[in-house]
Amino acid sequence: TWVLVSAHRMKRPWAGQVEKPPEEHIPRYDPGNPLCPGNTRANGKLVRSWFPLNSGTFKQVFHTYVFENDFPALQPDAPDPGSDQHPLFQSKAARGVCKVMCFHPWSDVTLPLMKMHEVVKVIDKWAGLVEELGATYPWVQIFENKGAMMGCSNPHPHCQVWASNFLPNEPALSDRCQRSYYQKHGEPMLQQYARQEAERKERVVVESPDWLAVVPYWATWPYQTLLLPRRHVLRITDLTTEEREGLADIMRRLLTKYDNLFEISFPYSMGWHGAPTGPHLKEDNSHWQLHAHYYPPLLRSAMVKKFMVGYEMLAQEQRDLTPEQAAEKLRNLPEEHYKNRENQEKGGKEKEDGGK
């Protein structure tokens, strides 16, 4: 597919829809939030406490919290719709499971504000769920919708994991394209792509010895990024301990830059793609390369997002700044989170006032 790049359109005046900025003062614990420890979920079940709330042993007992989605889009016992012989009216049974995974006990701590060892715990749990569900299901989709602008119904930091008995449209397309490229060139497409981007540098946002985050050459969303391992890796379960620690570090760096762009908790949809699982575990998937997509909607400010409408829906995707411009803006942002900087400045001012 092709993308229409119209960088000059950033100059046009805007009198359209303006979004409400994300809530910056989310309470650490909300007794009415069904994702907070000790509260009751929609199905009446209790969210077990993740750690003794009144103790000082948080670091020792921290872990993620996973439970079955109370309103699942997929169910393991979905009925078979039956067959229809007409080619325009095909249907099949869609079966699977949907889980919710909370990253942290506190509602005001998002991934870029978490400590390194805490983010590693998240990655380890992602890998564990792919291993568990992928033993049966062909596809396990990890995804996070962050922010009300992306349809997130709860501000508590969390993601979802859906496992299905079929290969969904996007992974199926990715599988087909990567396989075709591998057959022609004898190398995984995204591994070669990562090497090219590392050499060119112009679209690199953050990098490390094991990981690379770029605004992809084919990006459609304004500040879209692609996160890639440098080594050939099929699935998140294949990452070494060192690579998981490196992933935690580069995720925090990337997401900090996102938040610093407009100094808000940056909304996005993200997700992991890796080689199919279930019956595909026994197949040769050498054409695959593990990667994560980040799709943030914001364009001009914290209140103006990109609308994929009209031409984008009816003709082809169009973007309002070049991938190189977007990468440069993100790359030049500090890696210290603006909230940490504000807290330090506030603490310094209080210390200064106290000394007067």
Side-chain angles (χ1 to χ4, degrees), residues 82-91:
S83 60
D84 191 311
Q85 300 303 315
H86 197 287
L88 297 181
F89 300 94
Q90 297 184 45
S91 60

Side-chain angles (χ1 to χ4, degrees), residues 84-349:
D84 191 311
Q85 300 303 315
H86 197 287
L88 297 181
F89 300 94
Q90 297 184 45
S91 60
K92 294 181 180 179
R95 300 189 177 100
V97 295
C98 298
K99 294 180 180 289
V100 176
M101 172 182 164
C102 295
F103 297 147
H104 198 281
W106 297 342
S107 295
D108 61 341
V109 179
T110 55
L111 283 169
L113 294 172
M114 289 168 61
K115 296 180 174 66
M116 269 281 294
H117 75 273
E118 296 170 351
V119 182
V120 171
K121 291 275 189 181
V122 171
I123 295 165
D124 287 341
K125 181 55 71 173
W126 280 343
L129 287 168
V130 170
E131 184 173 17
E132 173 195 340
L133 300 173
T136 304
Y137 291 101
W139 189 253
V140 181
Q141 182 61 64
I142 298 167
F143 67 97
E144 177 193 5
N145 294 326
K146 179 171 178 269
M149 198 179 295
M150 299 308 291
C152 183
S153 60
N154 192 305
H156 195 99
H158 69 284
C159 72
Q160 299 189 55
V161 184
W162 294 10
S164 60
N165 68 335
F166 56 92
L167 201 59
N169 294 341
E170 290 299 318
L173 176 61
S174 184
D175 181 72
R176 189 164 67 248
C177 291
Q178 289 182 91
R179 187 187 300 275
S180 174
Y181 192 93
Y182 187 81
Q183 290 171 347
K184 291 179 181 178
H185 302 278
E187 182 180 15
M189 177 177 70
L190 290 178
Q191 191 176 15
Q192 186 178 111
Y193 175 71
R195 189 169 65 251
Q196 287 287 324
E197 288 287 31
E199 292 174 0
R200 297 172 184 237
K201 299 292 185 184
E202 58 188 340
R203 285 174 293 274
V204 174
V205 178
V206 287
E207 59 182 326
S208 71
D210 294 323
W211 293 91
L212 183 73
V214 302
V215 176
Y217 183 71
W218 55 83
T220 55
W221 292 96
Y223 295 98
Q224 177 180 335
T225 54
L226 181 68
L227 181 55
L228 294 154
R230 294 183 188 266
R231 181 176 70 89
H232 186 204
V233 180
L234 296 184
R235 304 177 181 90
I236 198 169
T237 51
D238 300 325
L239 295 175
T240 65
T241 300
E242 292 76 15
E243 286 169 334
R244 294 183 189 196
E245 291 172 352
L247 175 57
D249 177 64
I250 204 165
M251 282 174 57
R252 290 174 75 232
R253 292 168 61 196
L254 174 63
L255 298 180
T256 293
K257 286 180 178 290
Y258 269 159
D259 284 6
N260 285 344
L261 181 61
F262 299 127
E263 294 198 345
I264 57 162
S265 186
F266 209 65
Y268 59 74
S269 283
M270 71 80 61
W272 284 98
H273 281 178
T277 51
H280 303 285
L281 289 169
K282 299 178 181 179
E283 300 173 358
D284 181 7
N285 287 289
S286 299
H287 56 290
W288 266 92
Q289 174 73 327
L290 175 71
H291 57 283
H293 296 281
Y294 285 86
Y295 299 122
L298 292 178
L299 175 61
R300 295 166 175 252
S301 69
M303 296 180 290
V304 178
K305 68 179 182 179
K306 168 69 176 177
F307 288 89
M308 292 290 189
V309 297
Y311 190 87
E312 290 90 344
M313 296 176 71
L314 297 166
Q316 70 179 41
E317 294 163 324
Q318 178 269 336
R319 60 179 288 117
D320 299 286
L321 73 167
T322 69
E324 296 77 20
Q325 290 171 330
E328 184 179 16
K329 282 188 177 182
L330 292 172
R331 185 170 57 245
N332 291 337
L333 290 167
E335 294 190 7
E336 179 187 18
H337 199 280
Y338 76 93
K339 284 190 175 180
N340 292 336
R341 186 178 66 250
E342 288 175 354
N343 290 337
Q344 290 174 2
E345 291 172 353
K346 182 180 178 182
K349 187 176 185 303

